[in-house]
Amino acid sequence: MFPSIVVLAPLTRSRSYGNVPQPHAILYYSQRASKGGLLISEATGVSDTAQGYTDTPGIWTKEQVEAWKPIVNAVHAKGGFFICQIVHVGRVSNSGFQPNGQSPISSTDKPLQPQIGSSGIDVEEFTPPRRLRADEIPQIVNDFRLAARNAMEAGFDGVEIHGAHGYLIDQFLKDQVHDRTDQYGGSLENRCRFALDIVEALVNEIGAAEVGIRLSPFADYMESGDSNPKELGLYLANALNKYGILYCHMIEPRMKTVGEKCECPHSLVPMRKAFNGTFIAAGGFDMEDGNNAVAEDRADLIAFGRWFLANPDLPKRFELNAPLNKYIRDTFYTSDPVLGYTDYPFLDSTTRVSS
């Protein structure tokens, strides 16, 4: 389905003021779109309780859906495919982001320790979460279902369920967070129930061919580690086959936390072999790594984050083996609508003008 093996990884950019996608995102995403290329949107909240960062987009209101439409149209005009990543952050939030200043919700009531923020200076504080009752969980599943329906109404080619990086789904999956004793806790099967309930709801709502999922079994981001990540990843890869979804997108074990790369002996190969659909790998890849992974059948597609952020024409640069712009970490999450967002140069500066 996707002729280009180079995928834009989902990247939070914190420029959706008031949780509404902005017109400057039209240029940002269309700059990175190319014929047959797949773009995955930044993490997009499924409800008013799903947010945990400043100015991240949502897709639970009519206004948000309408705001996404011209962005999606611009990607399609360049011949690209566009998937909307939908998320609930769970306990990675504080009462300031929550309706009526309530506590964030989670699989647990275990608080998250303060973390150094993306700036490397600020400390992010998290409000202790409220443990969801079992009878509330179907409503959260329904929030994902409605968000998926809204994404399709906005024109997206499908949705990616964000089941990685310590957010709500990961809080259910990982045994170092999870301390439930009901049907969503304890055994591996029970811990995966919430994630698979969401997959099933989305498949029923929009069709299996429009659903992907992102998972990070090996990561312990936001204190969400697992004692047996290989078993968890394999269980999920096999369980997903029942639904026939479009793809499974997994983070390499070397990315234990976001932005921190380490070489390690663990591998996604068992999950890749177990999963019957398209397999996308992400996590610290460069061109050579990515080419090798595809050549050795360790993945079908490779998602690039920081390099694609800094090189809007990344597929072309890879094709020509051209030098790459360096990324500027300081502007990853700033709110400026141009600086560090749409001002990275193309190989041929005339391309910028004509596009």
Side-chain angles (χ1 to χ4, degrees), residues 314-334:
L314 188 68
K316 182 180 177 186
R317 287 178 190 250
F318 280 173
E319 198 182 316
L320 301 174
N321 204 11
L324 301 180
N325 300 325
K326 288 189 166 57
Y327 50 81
I328 303 160
R329 193 179 292 277
D330 290 350
T331 55
F332 282 0
Y333 307 108
T334 51

Side-chain angles (χ1 to χ4, degrees), residues 41-324:
S41 82
E42 60 210 279
T44 301
V46 299
S47 69
D48 60 356
T49 68
Q51 304 296 113
Y53 300 93
T54 303
D55 293 335
T56 49
I59 197 155
W60 71 88
T61 70
K62 184 75 178 158
E63 181 188 10
Q64 291 162 338
V65 172
E66 292 303 316
W68 273 116
K69 285 180 178 178
I71 306 169
V72 177
N73 289 343
V75 170
H76 287 158
K78 299 278 286 285
F81 297 98
F82 204 7
I83 297 278
C84 184
Q85 190 195 64
I86 55 175
V87 69
H88 194 302
V89 299
R91 68 175 184 166
V92 187
S93 187
N94 64 54
S95 55
F97 290 110
Q98 296 297 317
N100 309 314
Q102 66 191 39
S103 297
I105 55 176
S106 181
S107 61
T108 182
D109 51 17
K110 288 194 285 194
L112 192 56
Q113 297 305 306
Q115 311 259 337
I116 299 293
S118 52
S119 65
I121 302 163
D122 302 327
V123 175
E124 293 174 354
E125 301 276 353
F126 305 102
T127 305
R130 178 178 72 79
R131 183 194 304 266
L132 283 164
R133 299 189 314 271
D135 65 329
E136 294 177 291
I137 291 172
Q139 179 55 52
I140 310 300
V141 174
N142 196 52
D143 289 340
F144 275 88
R145 182 184 68 80
L146 293 173
R149 181 200 286 177
N150 287 345
M152 300 310 285
E153 190 191 325
F156 283 100
D157 298 296
V159 297
E160 175 178 284
I161 301 161
H162 195 346
H165 288 159
Y167 299 124
L168 182 61
I169 292 171
D170 217 19
Q171 290 158 33
F172 275 84
L173 293 173
K174 301 287 184 64
D175 63 9
Q176 287 176 16
V177 186
H178 203 84
D179 55 358
R180 302 179 75 92
T181 55
D182 59 10
Q183 69 265 42
Y184 293 96
S187 69
L188 188 56
E189 183 181 1
N190 282 358
R191 283 186 282 127
C192 294
R193 188 183 306 278
F194 177 57
L196 296 173
D197 282 355
I198 292 171
V199 171
E200 184 170 20
L202 267 59
V203 166
N204 289 340
E205 181 67 34
I206 64 171
E210 277 73 45
V211 177
I213 190 167
R214 193 178 215 213
L215 300 165
S216 58
F218 292 94
D220 55 12
Y221 189 56
M222 290 296 172
E223 298 171 33
S224 291
D226 195 80
S227 61
N228 195 337
K230 184 177 176 183
E231 184 186 31
L232 174 63
L234 263 176
Y235 178 87
L236 283 164
N238 281 304
L240 289 168
N241 287 331
K242 172 183 166 188
Y243 303 100
I245 62 171
L246 179 61
Y247 69 74
C248 179
H249 180 182
M250 278 202 187
I251 319 290
E252 277 285 334
R254 60 188 171 192
M255 302 304 281
K256 292 290 280 184
T257 60
V258 170
E260 182 190 334
K261 183 175 169 181
C262 65
E263 293 309 321
C264 64
H266 297 299
S267 161
L268 298 179
V269 169
M271 295 77 170
R272 193 280 193 276
K273 286 183 174 167
F275 182 68
N276 294 337
T278 297
F279 194 85
I280 305 176
F285 282 95
D286 58 24
M287 183 177 77
E288 188 180 3
D289 281 344
N291 282 337
N292 289 342
V294 173
E296 293 163 12
D297 201 32
R298 289 185 279 123
D300 297 300
L301 306 171
I302 305 294
F304 294 88
R306 289 162 290 184
W307 290 120
F308 216 151
L309 176 159
N311 295 272
D313 51 357
L314 188 68
K316 182 180 177 186
R317 287 178 190 250
F318 280 173
E319 198 182 316
L320 301 174
N321 204 11
L324 301 180

